[in-house]
Amino acid sequence: MALAAPALRRYLLLLAQEHLEFRLPEITSLLSLCGGQFSGEQEIRVNSPFWILNIPSEEMARGLMKRTVCAKSIFELWGHGRSAGELYASLKNYPTDKMLPYLQSDSTYKIHIHTFNKTLTQAQKIKKIDALEFLPFKGKVNLKNPEHIFWILEDYGMNPNDVPEDPIHLYFGRWIADGQRELIESYSVKKRHFIGNTSMDACLSFIMANHARVKPNDVVYDPFVGTGGLLISSAHFGAYVCGTDIDYNTIHGLGKASRKNQKWRGPDENIRANLRQYGLEKYYLDALVADSSRPIWREGMLFDAIITDPPYGIREAPRRMGSQKETVKSVERSTENHFFVSSSYHLSDIFFDLLKFAAEHLVMGGRLVYWLPIYRPEYTEEIIPRHPCLKLISNCEQMLSSHTSRRLITMEKVKEFKDQDENSYLLDGQYMPYRGHNSFREKYFSGVTKRIAKEEKDNQK
């Protein structure tokens, strides 16, 4: 006889209203990391800050909140309605035996009111709290340090220019845990010891680590490591981190500084110092000067996740090692005795090399998370690079300008890499559309030039 699956409990997730496209893939990835799955029965309004989730246990809900930077808080949902009457009826139908452990006479509690898209007066808040007198609260009110916190949450819609008199959704629940939004401030690039022109925003770094399902003792690799911003978020979650970059100066913390009012980098500005700043140095394996287009790693599955932001020619040029026989782009001098010849590295080649590397060196079930620049007027899903060993998990857009954006692509290894997979993409009839990535820089700056010309024309009127 088959055992019955554990009954799912309803929880209310309160989300931050930023990076909206990234929220669902993050929550889905973290639920699977915690041993759950995202059910099609979830009550999700994608752009709303309120999601109702069906989760097997409070422990899993707490595990989710220990990782997410997209969600603010999670609550055990006791009642929900489209009006106050519906909410009260829902609360009266909630099983009393599930309420009573948190309403005992020897316990303390408080009730907090949260509204979205409207501000209430204190008198209005008190009136809403008093209306819940039918609930069997027996404990004492303690506003400073209560054992249990209950929330009334009201949704007044998404349009700040058309706020309804009454909320369109009301919720009541027991607070379980907060998310990790404080990491965004504590790991802010503004406070970081070593930064570069392309150092990744802290919030997006943690979102990428969550999309990759990074967990303790994983080995995470960034082939375009730069100043190591993506390594920091993975190390925070207990993964061992390493990376490579073709830029000798960046790896060794040499050359001109990226900070305002600082001409040269200091003696201890490097990736290791960044991890040391956050108490994460023990998770740092190393960073190597290497060309991502050339093999340096032994064969086999080495990494649990690959998380990277390839250069796409706006702030940093895409480069690879060249030779005197090639059409040389430049000869660079990094230190007194260190010279190397670099040549151009087309974006289409960067992504093909990256996917091939991931297919070969990720463990089964490991994830590749990377940014893909897009010229929006020409975008179709067909230009997303593919590989037979990798399954597309999510595709989230971040706007850069009216005509350009970048997409966070998450892929999972679902098939073992075989010799015949090495150049399989070359046989794909979809190969030609990818070539459009090579002209991203020209398209990006053509839009900037047109905008400047338009602004100058408007100013002359």
Side-chain angles (χ1 to χ4, degrees), residues 363-379:
V363 301
M364 287 297 295
R367 288 192 170 185
L368 165 66
V369 181
Y370 71 96
W371 289 100
L372 179 71
I374 294 295
Y375 183 62
R376 300 186 79 237
E378 298 176 359
Y379 172 74

Side-chain angles (χ1 to χ4, degrees), residues 99-116:
M99 288 186 182
L100 289 180
Y102 311 103
L103 307 179
Q104 298 298 316
S105 58
D106 58 349
S107 65
T108 58
Y109 72 95
K110 76 171 182 179
I111 298 177
H112 178 82
I113 293 186
H114 174 87
T115 56
F116 178 73

Side-chain angles (χ1 to χ4, degrees), residues 238-259:
Y240 294 93
V241 295
C242 58
T244 56
D245 202 287
I246 197 171
D247 192 322
Y248 182 95
N249 284 345
T250 300
I251 291 292
H252 291 279
L254 304 173
K256 292 184 178 180
S258 298
R259 286 190 196 282

